[in-house]
Amino acid sequence: MSDNNPLRDPFDAIADPTRRKLIRILAEPREIPLHELTAQFDMGRTAVSKHLAILKEAGLVIDRKVGRETRFRLNAAPLREVHEWLSFYQKFWTMNLISLGQLLEEEEE
């Protein structure tokens, strides 16, 4: 699998709250070993690894072996699509709220 050709949609990958928390943790500038990530959750190493695998399939996580340890870091590039989608709706709701405010002001007059 290539980072340029993810197998999983980033929207699907971030749908789970555990994976969103993993992304937030991995936003640190350093690589984080699996045992440190596992310590952040009330679940076993295997469950955390499964979540990391889904994030990796979406191109959101990059892993690297260092000796016997696997370290992970965030690759935020696939989140650009999510950001662009959300930006559209942020503008949509902002414009609708402005229009609503203007309508309410007109009714008060």
Side-chain angles (χ1 to χ4, degrees), residues 19 24 32 60-61 81 95 104:
R19 292 192 289 271
R24 198 168 28 253
I32 303 175
L60 290 164
V61 168
E81 179 184 359
M95 294 308 297
L104 291 172

Side-chain angles (χ1 to χ4, degrees), residues 23-105:
I23 289 171
R24 198 168 28 253
I25 295 167
L26 290 168
E28 291 184 22
R30 67 183 183 91
E31 294 178 327
I32 303 175
L34 180 58
H35 69 88
E36 282 186 35
L37 291 170
T38 302
Q40 303 279 333
F41 296 92
D42 189 25
M43 63 180 72
R45 182 183 191 118
T46 302
V48 172
S49 291
K50 286 180 181 179
H51 285 291
L52 287 165
I54 290 169
L55 292 171
K56 187 176 175 182
E57 287 174 8
L60 290 164
V61 168
I62 297 170
D63 63 349
R64 181 172 73 99
K65 287 288 246 185
V66 178
R68 293 176 44 194
E69 183 176 75
T70 304
R71 296 180 184 179
F72 298 87
R73 66 182 172 90
L74 177 65
N75 175 33
L79 291 174
R80 188 173 297 120
E81 179 184 359
V82 175
H83 174 73
E84 290 169 0
W85 186 80
L86 288 171
S87 292
F88 170 81
Y89 286 99
Q90 181 181 14
K91 291 175 192 170
F92 171 83
W93 285 111
T94 299
M95 294 308 297
N96 279 311
L97 290 173
I98 289 170
S99 295
L100 178 61
Q102 290 171 345
L103 181 65
L104 291 172
E105 284 178 11

